[in-house]
Amino acid sequence: MNYVIFDLEWNGCFSKKLDSNINEIIEIGAVRLDQELNVTGKFNILVRPEISKRLNSSVKTLTSLTYEDLMRGAPFTYGYNKFRKFCNGCILMTWSTSDIDALVSNVRYYKKFDKIDFMKKYIDLQQYCHDMLGLSDHNALGLQAAVDFLGIDTEDIPHHRALGDSIMSAMCLQKLYHKGALNAYITDTTKDEFYDRLFFHPYHIEDINDKDIDHSKMFFNCGKCGARTDKISKWDAKCKCFTAKFCCPKCHYEFAGRMQFKKKYDSVIITKKILKPHNNAEHEENSSNKKAAH
């Protein structure tokens, strides 16, 4: 089982043909690894842009490439076919699915294909490394952050260039490699679900009656004593959040609770936050006075 880890550099631009934005690929870089993760080949090619006639300043700064450099590159179709031959049936990996997304968009634009025709199996290396490092938060693990965390020396490797980032990704995999664990991350890309999931854009649910909201989870525990609280107002929908007032039946602590629901392809991420209302200090004072009176 051999692997190809690849990375793309692209230039965000507007396509009159599509009447929408597209990330036009300007460089493809990759490393090929054998079953023992030894590097058996490297691939790098600049791609001549056809959609945009200029490079974004941020792309110039990150990559140190100029438009003149790219004009000496190859047409996308030529570069894609060369890359296809380099991969030769290997399992493909990228650091997050954003490069797959960009490659599919360019394939659709230039070659009129709906899918990457030579990719049969894929691994999201970012997700694998995130899990192997035991990270629990939902924030994406950046390549540079992973390199720093693993203490990998990348001083002689060009950053924000397709081949350099591919090499750094491979070094992260070598540090965290476990054959059994890695195999569990292999995705069959011949199924439509892979592309459905890839192009699904997460969004915040703004309708309280949306079928994906589990109303049984719309509760709060008291921030003081931990008891289950009672909702004492209706939900107010604002700024992609739902807010209501709650009161603890045990200690009578009142607060506002805010909830947010983020819809992903096959799950809903729920975020809860307790907001202390402005009149809570007055409520506590009144409660103390009542206790003193008794």
Side-chain angles (χ1 to χ4, degrees):
M1 188 181 295
N2 296 326
Y3 311 97
V4 165
I5 300 175
F6 76 91
D7 183 82
L8 306 172
E9 300 300 330
W10 63 69
N11 183 46
C13 58
F14 181 81
S15 165
K16 293 182 179 179
K17 178 180 175 181
L18 299 175
D19 193 28
S20 65
N21 294 321
I22 184 172
N23 291 320
E24 184 176 19
I25 294 172
I26 57 175
E27 186 178 31
I28 305 172
V31 291
R32 186 169 54 232
L33 308 174
D34 63 17
Q35 297 182 33
E36 305 302 321
L37 299 191
N38 298 306
V39 177
T40 59
K42 295 180 181 179
F43 179 89
N44 190 221
I45 191 168
L46 290 178
V47 178
R48 185 166 67 242
E50 296 180 22
I51 303 173
S52 178
K53 300 302 180 184
R54 68 180 187 86
L55 276 181
N56 293 331
S57 58
S58 58
V59 175
K60 288 181 182 179
T61 302
L62 284 174
T63 65
S64 298
L65 289 169
T66 65
Y67 191 78
E68 289 70 28
D69 293 329
L70 298 178
M71 290 308 292
R72 293 191 288 270
F76 174 80
T77 298
Y78 177 85
Y80 177 84
N81 290 337
K82 293 283 286 185
F83 179 53
R84 185 182 194 277
K85 185 176 181 180
F86 175 81
C87 293
N88 193 27
C90 294
I91 295 176
L92 298 189
M93 299 188 202
T94 58
W95 194 270
S96 90
T97 58
S98 58
D99 287 297
I100 296 292
D101 192 327
L103 184 56
V104 173
S105 296
N106 281 254
V107 165
R108 287 177 172 176
Y109 184 90
Y110 287 106
K111 297 180 70 66
K112 313 304 179 186
F113 296 165
D114 286 332
K115 302 175 181 179
I116 303 170
D117 61 334
F118 61 89
M119 182 174 70
K120 307 302 179 185
K121 293 182 178 180
Y122 169 75
I123 295 174
D124 181 349
L125 186 54
Q126 181 189 53
Q127 188 63 57
Y128 171 79
C129 291
H130 179 281
D131 295 345
M132 291 300 287
L133 287 171
L135 303 178
S136 58
D137 59 57
H138 299 294
N139 294 325
L141 175 66
L143 177 57
Q144 187 59 55
V147 165
D148 293 341
F149 189 89
L150 294 169
I152 297 173
D153 182 9
T154 61
E155 185 177 353
D156 298 326
I157 301 174
H159 293 214
H160 303 296
R161 292 296 299 273
L163 179 57
D165 286 356
S166 298
I167 293 171
M168 287 191 286
S169 298
M171 295 170 78
C172 289
L173 175 61
Q174 290 165 341
K175 283 273 191 177
L176 296 170
Y177 179 62
H178 184 283
K179 184 177 180 180
L182 186 65
N183 287 344
Y185 286 79
I186 298 176
T187 302
D188 182 357
T189 62
T190 62
K191 298 179 178 179
D192 291 337
E193 182 185 350
F194 174 79
Y195 289 94
D196 291 342
R197 184 183 295 270
L198 178 67
F199 287 104
F200 180 86
H201 297 290
Y203 62 90
H204 289 102
I205 299 174
E206 300 184 58
D207 182 359
I208 194 72
N209 297 313
D210 192 287
K211 63 181 180 60
D212 289 313
I213 289 182
D214 184 351
H215 288 264
S216 68
K217 296 181 179 180
M218 296 187 73
F219 67 88
F220 282 86
N221 291 328
C222 179
K224 282 196 169 184
C225 70
R228 181 73 169 261
T229 60
D230 297 325
K231 184 167 69 71
I232 58 175
S233 74
K234 293 183 178 180
W235 288 105
D236 178 37
K238 188 177 181 181
C239 299
K240 301 179 181 178
C241 296
F242 302 102
T243 306
K245 291 182 180 180
F246 293 82
C247 181
C248 177
K250 191 172 181 180
C251 69
H252 307 292
Y253 180 70
E254 291 187 11
F255 62 89
R258 177 181 293 169
M259 300 192 70
Q260 191 174 65
F261 298 86
K262 188 173 185 179
K263 173 64 177 173
K264 295 198 171 183
Y265 180 78
D266 52 8
S267 64
V268 176
I269 304 299
I270 303 174
T271 304
K272 295 184 179 182
K273 185 175 182 180
I274 291 178
L275 307 174
K276 187 175 181 181
H278 295 298
N279 64 346
N280 206 63
E282 181 182 344
H283 169 77
E284 291 180 354
E285 184 179 347
N286 291 336
S287 298
S288 298
N289 291 337
K290 288 180 181 178
K291 289 181 181 179
H294 287 293

